[in-house]
Amino acid sequence: MVNVDQFSNVLLVGFMASGKSAVGQELATLLGWDFSDMDAVIEERYGLPINLLFEKKGQGYFRRIESEVSLDLVSLSSTVLATGGGWALSDQNWKSVPSATFTVWLKVTPEGAFNRAKSDGSVRPLLNGIDSMESLSVLLESRSEWYSRAQCSVDSETGNPNDIAQGIVHLMEKRNSLVESQPGS
Ligand code: S3P
């Protein structure tokens, strides 16, 4: 029996194609929780695929609605939430995350992200202008500081989503027992 009762939900952050959705779904199954994908909720709510929202309304608009949708989703309980790769680049988004949320950075190398992005079939507007591995590395590097605000990080380059999700459950259990053993908890 998994004991993670100190946590109300999980938030996954990380670069494009780092496996947030696939790992998130596995994690939700392991915990017996719901899964929510922020990009999918945005697409449903605004009736357009993310790439068309970028194209028709611009990135600034997308970031605004991403923050709005995020405000609704971060307060759900017993939910694993997969963010889009740019969600973490906002102080305001991080500040809205409730303290009982377990936050995880799924780490990939630029090569890993590139290969997965090529094979998973999603259209990613921010990869359109990327013409070399070097520029992808620069983009990832510039975002790493934001992703590192998560409480912990896991390597999501290797291993299947289920193995990675199991690793996250172990981290949650460890943290959970640490919190439980603190006086006054
Ligand atoms: C973005 C990542 C995408 C999506 C949008 C912007 C980003 O999500 O939210 O295209 O800024 O990194 P994934 O991380 O699921 O690709």
PDB file of all heavy atoms in Angstrom, residues 9 36 38 41 45-46 65-77 79 81 96 98:
ATOM      1  N   ASN A   9      -1.337  16.485  -4.215  1.00  0.00           N
ATOM      2  CA  ASN A   9      -1.245  16.309  -5.672  1.00  0.00           C
ATOM      3  C   ASN A   9       0.220  16.334  -6.112  1.00  0.00           C
ATOM      4  O   ASN A   9       1.116  16.579  -5.302  1.00  0.00           O
ATOM      5  CB  ASN A   9      -2.075  17.367  -6.418  1.00  0.00           C
ATOM      6  CG  ASN A   9      -1.771  18.772  -5.970  1.00  0.00           C
ATOM      7  OD1 ASN A   9      -0.938  18.985  -5.099  1.00  0.00           O
ATOM      8  ND2 ASN A   9      -2.430  19.737  -6.556  1.00  0.00           N
ATOM      9  N   SER A  36      -4.195  14.909 -15.138  1.00  0.00           N
ATOM     10  CA  SER A  36      -4.639  16.043 -15.946  1.00  0.00           C
ATOM     11  C   SER A  36      -3.456  16.622 -16.724  1.00  0.00           C
ATOM     12  O   SER A  36      -2.375  16.810 -16.160  1.00  0.00           O
ATOM     13  CB  SER A  36      -5.253  17.103 -15.021  1.00  0.00           C
ATOM     14  OG  SER A  36      -5.745  18.158 -15.783  1.00  0.00           O
ATOM     15  N   MET A  38      -2.168  19.776 -18.733  1.00  0.00           N
ATOM     16  CA  MET A  38      -2.536  21.189 -18.858  1.00  0.00           C
ATOM     17  C   MET A  38      -2.774  21.606 -20.309  1.00  0.00           C
ATOM     18  O   MET A  38      -3.741  22.310 -20.608  1.00  0.00           O
ATOM     19  CB  MET A  38      -1.433  22.045 -18.235  1.00  0.00           C
ATOM     20  CG  MET A  38      -1.928  23.365 -17.748  1.00  0.00           C
ATOM     21  SD  MET A  38      -0.647  24.289 -16.912  1.00  0.00           S
ATOM     22  CE  MET A  38      -0.668  23.580 -15.286  1.00  0.00           C
ATOM     23  N   VAL A  41      -6.127  20.442 -21.472  1.00  0.00           N
ATOM     24  CA  VAL A  41      -7.235  21.233 -20.898  1.00  0.00           C
ATOM     25  C   VAL A  41      -7.354  22.572 -21.637  1.00  0.00           C
ATOM     26  O   VAL A  41      -8.449  23.026 -21.974  1.00  0.00           O
ATOM     27  CB  VAL A  41      -7.030  21.460 -19.371  1.00  0.00           C
ATOM     28  CG1 VAL A  41      -8.084  22.397 -18.799  1.00  0.00           C
ATOM     29  CG2 VAL A  41      -7.039  20.128 -18.633  1.00  0.00           C
ATOM     30  N   ARG A  45     -10.580  23.808 -23.607  1.00  0.00           N
ATOM     31  CA  ARG A  45     -11.279  25.022 -23.171  1.00  0.00           C
ATOM     32  C   ARG A  45     -11.336  26.089 -24.264  1.00  0.00           C
ATOM     33  O   ARG A  45     -12.303  26.807 -24.402  1.00  0.00           O
ATOM     34  CB  ARG A  45     -10.561  25.587 -21.937  1.00  0.00           C
ATOM     35  CG  ARG A  45     -11.486  26.328 -21.033  1.00  0.00           C
ATOM     36  CD  ARG A  45     -10.795  26.792 -19.774  1.00  0.00           C
ATOM     37  NE  ARG A  45     -10.838  25.825 -18.685  1.00  0.00           N
ATOM     38  CZ  ARG A  45     -10.428  26.106 -17.451  1.00  0.00           C
ATOM     39  NH1 ARG A  45      -9.940  27.289 -17.166  1.00  0.00           N
ATOM     40  NH2 ARG A  45     -10.494  25.194 -16.508  1.00  0.00           N
ATOM     41  N   TYR A  46     -10.266  26.207 -25.041  1.00  0.00           N
ATOM     42  CA  TYR A  46     -10.208  27.280 -26.044  1.00  0.00           C
ATOM     43  C   TYR A  46     -10.502  26.778 -27.454  1.00  0.00           C
ATOM     44  O   TYR A  46     -10.496  27.551 -28.411  1.00  0.00           O
ATOM     45  CB  TYR A  46      -8.857  28.008 -25.957  1.00  0.00           C
ATOM     46  CG  TYR A  46      -8.777  28.798 -24.666  1.00  0.00           C
ATOM     47  CD1 TYR A  46      -8.317  28.187 -23.498  1.00  0.00           C
ATOM     48  CD2 TYR A  46      -9.245  30.107 -24.590  1.00  0.00           C
ATOM     49  CE1 TYR A  46      -8.295  28.869 -22.289  1.00  0.00           C
ATOM     50  CE2 TYR A  46      -9.235  30.798 -23.393  1.00  0.00           C
ATOM     51  CZ  TYR A  46      -8.766  30.178 -22.245  1.00  0.00           C
ATOM     52  OH  TYR A  46      -8.764  30.862 -21.060  1.00  0.00           O
ATOM     53  N   ILE A  65      -3.278  32.456 -20.876  1.00  0.00           N
ATOM     54  CA  ILE A  65      -4.335  31.463 -20.636  1.00  0.00           C
ATOM     55  C   ILE A  65      -3.754  30.234 -19.928  1.00  0.00           C
ATOM     56  O   ILE A  65      -4.419  29.579 -19.142  1.00  0.00           O
ATOM     57  CB  ILE A  65      -5.112  31.068 -21.921  1.00  0.00           C
ATOM     58  CG1 ILE A  65      -4.204  30.450 -22.971  1.00  0.00           C
ATOM     59  CG2 ILE A  65      -5.850  32.257 -22.488  1.00  0.00           C
ATOM     60  CD1 ILE A  65      -4.980  29.954 -24.192  1.00  0.00           C
ATOM     61  N   GLU A  66      -2.470  29.954 -20.163  1.00  0.00           N
ATOM     62  CA  GLU A  66      -1.812  28.845 -19.456  1.00  0.00           C
ATOM     63  C   GLU A  66      -1.846  29.118 -17.939  1.00  0.00           C
ATOM     64  O   GLU A  66      -2.170  28.234 -17.147  1.00  0.00           O
ATOM     65  CB  GLU A  66      -0.365  28.728 -19.965  1.00  0.00           C
ATOM     66  CG  GLU A  66       0.423  27.573 -19.379  1.00  0.00           C
ATOM     67  CD  GLU A  66       1.828  27.493 -19.994  1.00  0.00           C
ATOM     68  OE1 GLU A  66       2.536  28.516 -20.057  1.00  0.00           O
ATOM     69  OE2 GLU A  66       2.216  26.383 -20.406  1.00  0.00           O
ATOM     70  N   SER A  67      -1.553  30.373 -17.565  1.00  0.00           N
ATOM     71  CA  SER A  67      -1.568  30.716 -16.135  1.00  0.00           C
ATOM     72  C   SER A  67      -2.983  30.653 -15.570  1.00  0.00           C
ATOM     73  O   SER A  67      -3.189  30.227 -14.428  1.00  0.00           O
ATOM     74  CB  SER A  67      -1.005  32.122 -15.906  1.00  0.00           C
ATOM     75  OG  SER A  67       0.343  32.138 -16.248  1.00  0.00           O
ATOM     76  N   GLU A  68      -3.955  31.078 -16.371  1.00  0.00           N
ATOM     77  CA  GLU A  68      -5.353  31.035 -15.910  1.00  0.00           C
ATOM     78  C   GLU A  68      -5.809  29.601 -15.671  1.00  0.00           C
ATOM     79  O   GLU A  68      -6.366  29.269 -14.625  1.00  0.00           O
ATOM     80  CB  GLU A  68      -6.255  31.640 -16.985  1.00  0.00           C
ATOM     81  CG  GLU A  68      -6.583  33.104 -16.744  1.00  0.00           C
ATOM     82  CD  GLU A  68      -7.278  33.703 -17.953  1.00  0.00           C
ATOM     83  OE1 GLU A  68      -8.223  33.066 -18.496  1.00  0.00           O
ATOM     84  OE2 GLU A  68      -6.851  34.791 -18.362  1.00  0.00           O
ATOM     85  N   VAL A  69      -5.551  28.746 -16.655  1.00  0.00           N
ATOM     86  CA  VAL A  69      -5.954  27.346 -16.539  1.00  0.00           C
ATOM     87  C   VAL A  69      -5.198  26.695 -15.376  1.00  0.00           C
ATOM     88  O   VAL A  69      -5.757  25.925 -14.592  1.00  0.00           O
ATOM     89  CB  VAL A  69      -5.680  26.598 -17.879  1.00  0.00           C
ATOM     90  CG1 VAL A  69      -5.817  25.095 -17.717  1.00  0.00           C
ATOM     91  CG2 VAL A  69      -6.623  27.108 -18.957  1.00  0.00           C
ATOM     92  N   SER A  70      -3.938  27.036 -15.250  1.00  0.00           N
ATOM     93  CA  SER A  70      -3.108  26.486 -14.181  1.00  0.00           C
ATOM     94  C   SER A  70      -3.712  26.778 -12.807  1.00  0.00           C
ATOM     95  O   SER A  70      -3.750  25.902 -11.936  1.00  0.00           O
ATOM     96  CB  SER A  70      -1.707  27.084 -14.283  1.00  0.00           C
ATOM     97  OG  SER A  70      -0.979  26.844 -13.140  1.00  0.00           O
ATOM     98  N   LEU A  71      -4.229  28.006 -12.630  1.00  0.00           N
ATOM     99  CA  LEU A  71      -4.819  28.381 -11.333  1.00  0.00           C
ATOM    100  C   LEU A  71      -5.954  27.427 -10.949  1.00  0.00           C
ATOM    101  O   LEU A  71      -6.116  27.070  -9.787  1.00  0.00           O
ATOM    102  CB  LEU A  71      -5.378  29.805 -11.402  1.00  0.00           C
ATOM    103  CG  LEU A  71      -4.436  30.920 -11.010  1.00  0.00           C
ATOM    104  CD1 LEU A  71      -5.178  32.248 -11.083  1.00  0.00           C
ATOM    105  CD2 LEU A  71      -3.864  30.709  -9.614  1.00  0.00           C
ATOM    106  N   ASP A  72      -6.728  27.010 -11.949  1.00  0.00           N
ATOM    107  CA  ASP A  72      -7.822  26.068 -11.669  1.00  0.00           C
ATOM    108  C   ASP A  72      -7.279  24.676 -11.354  1.00  0.00           C
ATOM    109  O   ASP A  72      -7.788  23.971 -10.496  1.00  0.00           O
ATOM    110  CB  ASP A  72      -8.750  25.931 -12.886  1.00  0.00           C
ATOM    111  CG  ASP A  72      -9.498  27.214 -13.168  1.00  0.00           C
ATOM    112  OD1 ASP A  72      -9.605  28.033 -12.237  1.00  0.00           O
ATOM    113  OD2 ASP A  72      -9.948  27.395 -14.314  1.00  0.00           O
ATOM    114  N   LEU A  73      -6.234  24.275 -12.085  1.00  0.00           N
ATOM    115  CA  LEU A  73      -5.788  22.877 -11.975  1.00  0.00           C
ATOM    116  C   LEU A  73      -4.912  22.600 -10.752  1.00  0.00           C
ATOM    117  O   LEU A  73      -4.957  21.500 -10.198  1.00  0.00           O
ATOM    118  CB  LEU A  73      -5.037  22.459 -13.248  1.00  0.00           C
ATOM    119  CG  LEU A  73      -5.848  22.527 -14.552  1.00  0.00           C
ATOM    120  CD1 LEU A  73      -5.002  22.047 -15.730  1.00  0.00           C
ATOM    121  CD2 LEU A  73      -7.117  21.680 -14.463  1.00  0.00           C
ATOM    122  N   VAL A  74      -4.081  23.577 -10.349  1.00  0.00           N
ATOM    123  CA  VAL A  74      -3.154  23.287  -9.247  1.00  0.00           C
ATOM    124  C   VAL A  74      -3.869  23.009  -7.925  1.00  0.00           C
ATOM    125  O   VAL A  74      -3.298  22.389  -7.035  1.00  0.00           O
ATOM    126  CB  VAL A  74      -2.094  24.408  -9.018  1.00  0.00           C
ATOM    127  CG1 VAL A  74      -1.094  24.443 -10.139  1.00  0.00           C
ATOM    128  CG2 VAL A  74      -2.732  25.751  -8.766  1.00  0.00           C
ATOM    129  N   SER A  75      -5.110  23.457  -7.830  1.00  0.00           N
ATOM    130  CA  SER A  75      -5.795  23.238  -6.554  1.00  0.00           C
ATOM    131  C   SER A  75      -6.595  21.935  -6.527  1.00  0.00           C
ATOM    132  O   SER A  75      -7.210  21.606  -5.509  1.00  0.00           O
ATOM    133  CB  SER A  75      -6.700  24.429  -6.241  1.00  0.00           C
ATOM    134  OG  SER A  75      -7.570  24.619  -7.313  1.00  0.00           O
ATOM    135  N   LEU A  76      -6.569  21.176  -7.615  1.00  0.00           N
ATOM    136  CA  LEU A  76      -7.262  19.875  -7.594  1.00  0.00           C
ATOM    137  C   LEU A  76      -6.514  18.954  -6.636  1.00  0.00           C
ATOM    138  O   LEU A  76      -5.290  19.003  -6.548  1.00  0.00           O
ATOM    139  CB  LEU A  76      -7.235  19.245  -8.990  1.00  0.00           C
ATOM    140  CG  LEU A  76      -8.003  19.964 -10.101  1.00  0.00           C
ATOM    141  CD1 LEU A  76      -7.740  19.278 -11.437  1.00  0.00           C
ATOM    142  CD2 LEU A  76      -9.493  19.972  -9.787  1.00  0.00           C
ATOM    143  N   SER A  77      -7.248  18.098  -5.952  1.00  0.00           N
ATOM    144  CA  SER A  77      -6.508  17.164  -5.094  1.00  0.00           C
ATOM    145  C   SER A  77      -6.511  15.775  -5.715  1.00  0.00           C
ATOM    146  O   SER A  77      -7.270  15.485  -6.645  1.00  0.00           O
ATOM    147  CB  SER A  77      -7.075  17.159  -3.671  1.00  0.00           C
ATOM    148  OG  SER A  77      -8.437  16.912  -3.720  1.00  0.00           O
ATOM    149  N   THR A  79      -4.513  14.503  -7.741  1.00  0.00           N
ATOM    150  CA  THR A  79      -4.350  14.643  -9.197  1.00  0.00           C
ATOM    151  C   THR A  79      -2.865  14.781  -9.544  1.00  0.00           C
ATOM    152  O   THR A  79      -2.128  15.489  -8.858  1.00  0.00           O
ATOM    153  CB  THR A  79      -5.096  15.905  -9.698  1.00  0.00           C
ATOM    154  OG1 THR A  79      -6.482  15.770  -9.383  1.00  0.00           O
ATOM    155  CG2 THR A  79      -4.942  16.107 -11.194  1.00  0.00           C
ATOM    156  N   LEU A  81      -0.589  16.352 -12.271  1.00  0.00           N
ATOM    157  CA  LEU A  81      -0.749  17.384 -13.291  1.00  0.00           C
ATOM    158  C   LEU A  81       0.525  17.504 -14.124  1.00  0.00           C
ATOM    159  O   LEU A  81       1.606  17.764 -13.589  1.00  0.00           O
ATOM    160  CB  LEU A  81      -1.058  18.706 -12.573  1.00  0.00           C
ATOM    161  CG  LEU A  81      -1.279  19.945 -13.402  1.00  0.00           C
ATOM    162  CD1 LEU A  81      -2.432  19.756 -14.384  1.00  0.00           C
ATOM    163  CD2 LEU A  81      -1.588  21.122 -12.472  1.00  0.00           C
ATOM    164  N   SER A  96       1.549  29.999  -7.203  1.00  0.00           N
ATOM    165  CA  SER A  96       0.161  29.529  -7.049  1.00  0.00           C
ATOM    166  C   SER A  96       0.083  28.059  -6.635  1.00  0.00           C
ATOM    167  O   SER A  96      -1.004  27.540  -6.384  1.00  0.00           O
ATOM    168  CB  SER A  96      -0.600  29.726  -8.365  1.00  0.00           C
ATOM    169  OG  SER A  96      -0.105  28.831  -9.346  1.00  0.00           O
ATOM    170  N   PRO A  98       0.004  25.004  -4.344  1.00  0.00           N
ATOM    171  CA  PRO A  98      -0.200  24.772  -2.904  1.00  0.00           C
ATOM    172  C   PRO A  98       0.976  24.010  -2.278  1.00  0.00           C
ATOM    173  O   PRO A  98       1.648  23.224  -2.962  1.00  0.00           O
ATOM    174  CB  PRO A  98      -1.476  23.913  -2.864  1.00  0.00           C
ATOM    175  CG  PRO A  98      -2.148  24.119  -4.175  1.00  0.00           C
ATOM    176  CD  PRO A  98      -1.069  24.399  -5.155  1.00  0.00           C
TER     177      PRO A  98
END
